[in-house]
Amino acid sequence: MTEVEISGTGKGTRTRSRNGALALLCIAQLMLMIDFSVVNLALPDIESSLTITTNASLWTVTVYAVAFGGLLPLGGRLADLVGRRRMFVLGLTVFGVASLIGGVAQGFPLLLVMRAAQGAAAALIAPALLSLITTSFPDPVFRQRALGWFGSATASGFSIGVILGGLLTELVSWRAVLLINIPFVAIVAPLALVLLTESGVVPKPRRYDIPGAVLATLGSGALLLGISEAGAIGWDPVKTGLPLILGAVLSTCFILVERRSVAPLVPLRIFRIRSVSAVNTVVLFVTGIMGALTLLLSLLFQNVRLNGPIDAGVSVLPLGIVTAVVSQFTPRLAAAFTARRVLITGIAVFAVGLVILGTADANSGYGYVVVGMVICGLGFGPFFVTAAMTATADVPDADQGLAGGLINTATQIGTALGIAFLVSLADHHTVKQGAHATPGSIADGISLAMLTAAAVLAAVAVFALATIKRHKALR
C-alpha cells in the first residue's frame, strides 16, 4: 500500500499529511453527496425559468443518475489502470467545468448535457476516492477511522444538500445549486496534486476492454433509465419496458464478453470473493431503501405536514446528523464486536426505525417522527461504514478502484430501485383512497412504503447473516 507523502520528515509531518489527505477526500465526497440531492428542490424553479414541463425537469436528475451509474464500472477500472489520483483530479476538473456551464446555461438542452457530464465526472471521482482511502493509509486503525469519516461525509452531504437546495433556490436561484460546486473544485483539485500520491498505475503497455466498457456503460445506463422512468411515470411498455429489456440483454452480453476477454473491464474473479458479492447485494437493498426514505420523508413534511422546502429540509436533518455522528464511532464498534456483527445489527436497527416511522400518521407529533429518524440513523451509519470495510477487506490493492466502482454501482442502482418501488407503492396506495388525495391518505401510503421497507430489511439481515463471514483482515 502507498503511504501518503509530503515534504518534510518526522511523525508529526506524516500525521498532518495523512490528516490533510483524509480531509481532502472527505470534502470531495461531501461535494458529491450534496450534488446528489441539491438539485431536487430546485426543479420547480428550473421549470419556470426555462419554461419546461415537470416531466422534462425530472430529466435533470435522471441523466445525472444514468451517466453516473452507467460509467461507474469504467471509472473504477480506469482508476486501477491509469492512476487513482489522476482519475480523481480529472473527474473533479470535468465536474467543475460542467457545473459552471450548466449554471449559466440559457437553454434546457445544454443544461441536460452538462448534468450528464457531471454524472460522468462523478463516475470517475467516486471509485477513485474510495480506493484512495482504502489503499493510501497503511495503518489499519487509521484506515478504519478514515472510512468512518467517509461515512460521515456521505450521510451529512445528502442532508446538507436537501437544506442547501432549498436555501439557494429560494434566496438566490436554481443556478446557484450548480455554481456552488465551483469553490469546492477550485480548492480540492489543486490540493489533491500536493497531498495525494499516485497509486494504481499499471505499467504500459496496458490492455483496455473496449467492448466490455461499451456494454457495461450502455447496459447499466439502460437499466437505470428504465428504473428511473418506472419511478417517475409507472410502468410503460415503451418508456419503461424497452430500456429494462435492453439493459438486461446488454448486461448478459457484457458477462459473456468478460468471460472471454484477455483484460476484462470487470474481472469476474472478483465476484468469487465472497465479501464482494454478498456485501454488494446487501448494499443494493439497504442504500436503496435509504434513498427512498429521504424522498418519502420529504413528501411527508411537504405534502402531509405542508412545510415549505426549507422547513422540510431542516425537518429531515436529524436523520443525517445522527448518521454522520454515529459513523465516527463505527470503527471502534467494529474493533470491539467485529464488522460483520455491526453491519447486521445496523440493518436490524434501521428496520426498527422504519417500523416506527411506518406507524406514524397525519396526526403524529414531530417528536415521534424524530425518534424514528434517529433510530434509522443509528442503524444506517454503522451499516454503511462496515459495508465499505467488509466489501474491500479481501480485495487486492490492484483491484480497489474496481471494488469502489462496484459499491457505488450497487448504491446507484439500489437507490433508483428503492425510489421506483417504494414511492410508487406509496402513490398507488394513495390513489386507491380516492380521486382527491388528502394529507391522511398520503400519510397512509407513506406508512405502507415504510413498513414494506422494514420487511425487506429484515429479509436482508437474514441474508447477510447467512452469507457474510467474519474477515481476518478486520479482526
Side-chain angles (χ1 to χ4, degrees):
M1 293 183 222
T2 305
E3 174 84 53
V4 174
E5 297 174 355
I6 194 169
S7 58
T9 59
K11 183 177 179 180
T13 300
R14 289 195 300 273
T15 300
R16 288 192 298 271
S17 173
R18 69 181 187 178
N19 286 341
L22 175 58
L24 182 79
L25 294 170
C26 287
I27 289 172
Q29 179 68 3
L30 186 71
M31 180 192 72
L32 286 184
M33 291 299 101
I34 287 175
D35 196 75
F36 188 82
S37 58
V38 73
V39 175
N40 293 346
L41 292 178
L43 294 182
D45 205 37
I46 292 174
E47 294 168 22
S48 60
S49 174
L50 300 181
T51 319
I52 57 174
T53 65
T54 299
N55 285 340
S57 71
L58 289 173
W59 277 92
T60 58
V61 176
T62 301
V63 296
Y64 178 89
V66 170
F68 189 5
L71 289 167
L72 272 169
L74 178 60
R77 203 57 184 152
L78 285 174
D80 289 332
L81 295 176
V82 180
R84 291 158 189 149
R85 185 183 70 171
R86 187 173 290 126
M87 288 299 101
F88 181 65
V89 173
L90 174 62
L92 284 171
T93 303
V94 174
F95 195 88
V97 172
S99 297
L100 174 60
I101 298 175
V104 299
Q106 298 302 307
F108 187 58
L110 181 59
L111 174 61
L112 281 185
V113 172
M114 290 303 105
R115 284 291 288 166
Q118 281 186 310
L124 297 179
I125 298 170
L129 192 159
L130 182 55
S131 60
L132 281 166
I133 287 180
T134 56
T135 62
S136 294
F137 307 113
D139 180 0
V141 175
F142 188 85
R143 190 186 312 121
Q144 292 191 16
R145 176 189 163 200
L147 286 169
W149 280 105
F150 174 78
S152 294
T154 302
S156 57
F158 192 92
S159 299
I160 292 171
V162 172
I163 297 173
L164 197 60
L167 283 171
L168 291 175
T169 301
E170 289 196 15
L171 301 180
V172 187
S173 162
W174 68 266
R175 299 181 183 278
V177 303
L178 296 177
L179 298 176
I180 193 68
N181 294 317
I182 297 172
F184 279 96
V185 173
I187 294 170
V188 174
L191 285 177
L193 297 173
V194 176
L195 292 175
L196 303 176
T197 55
E198 189 58 273
S199 66
V201 182
V202 173
K204 294 182 179 180
R206 308 185 190 103
R207 293 179 176 179
Y208 296 98
D209 180 15
I210 303 301
V214 173
L215 289 170
T217 301
L218 294 179
S220 299
L223 286 173
L224 280 166
L225 177 60
I227 295 168
S228 299
E229 285 293 278
I233 65 173
W235 173 257
D236 181 276
V238 177
K239 295 182 178 180
T240 304
L242 283 182
L244 289 175
I245 293 171
L246 179 62
V249 171
L250 290 172
S251 297
T252 302
C253 293
F254 170 72
I255 294 172
L256 295 175
V257 168
E258 296 305 276
R259 291 180 64 180
R260 304 184 62 172
S261 176
V262 176
L265 176 72
V266 179
L268 299 183
R269 57 178 163 74
I270 196 170
F271 294 107
R272 290 197 290 268
I273 302 174
R274 194 168 186 178
S275 57
V276 172
S277 55
V279 174
N280 275 283
T281 301
V282 172
V283 166
L284 181 78
F285 287 96
V286 180
T287 58
I289 288 173
M290 174 55 81
L293 172 61
T294 53
L295 183 53
L296 289 169
L297 287 171
S298 177
L299 294 174
L300 175 67
F301 289 117
Q302 293 191 74
N303 297 346
V304 177
R305 298 176 181 272
L306 305 179
N307 293 338
I310 295 178
D311 289 340
V314 173
S315 297
V316 180
L317 194 57
L319 175 64
I321 290 176
V322 172
T323 305
V325 171
V326 75
S327 296
Q328 288 301 302
F329 298 97
T330 299
R332 297 178 187 175
L333 292 174
F337 301 104
T338 77
R340 175 180 177 270
R341 290 179 181 172
V342 174
L343 183 149
I344 295 169
T345 302
I347 298 173
V349 172
F350 188 9
V352 171
L354 286 170
V355 170
I356 293 173
L357 291 173
T359 56
D361 57 31
N363 298 317
S364 299
Y366 177 63
Y368 189 81
V369 179
V370 168
V371 171
M373 288 192 292
V374 166
I375 295 176
C376 285
L378 288 173
F380 184 75
F383 162 78
F384 188 82
V385 175
T386 49
M389 289 179 184
T390 309
T392 58
D394 295 335
V395 178
D397 280 1
D399 290 332
Q400 284 290 331
L402 174 61
L406 291 175
I407 293 172
N408 281 282
T409 300
T411 299
Q412 285 292 308
I413 294 177
T415 300
L417 276 172
I419 291 173
F421 175 69
L422 293 175
V423 175
S424 295
L425 179 65
D427 288 342
H428 181 68
H429 182 81
T430 300
V431 169
K432 288 199 305 182
Q433 305 305 307
H436 301 287
T438 64
S441 64
I442 295 172
D444 289 343
I446 292 172
S447 293
L448 175 62
M450 298 281 195
L451 293 174
T452 302
V456 172
L457 284 184
V460 171
V462 174
F463 172 82
L465 187 63
T467 59
I468 299 175
K469 303 300 181 184
R470 184 176 179 181
H471 295 83
K472 294 180 181 179
L474 297 175
R475 288 178 181 173

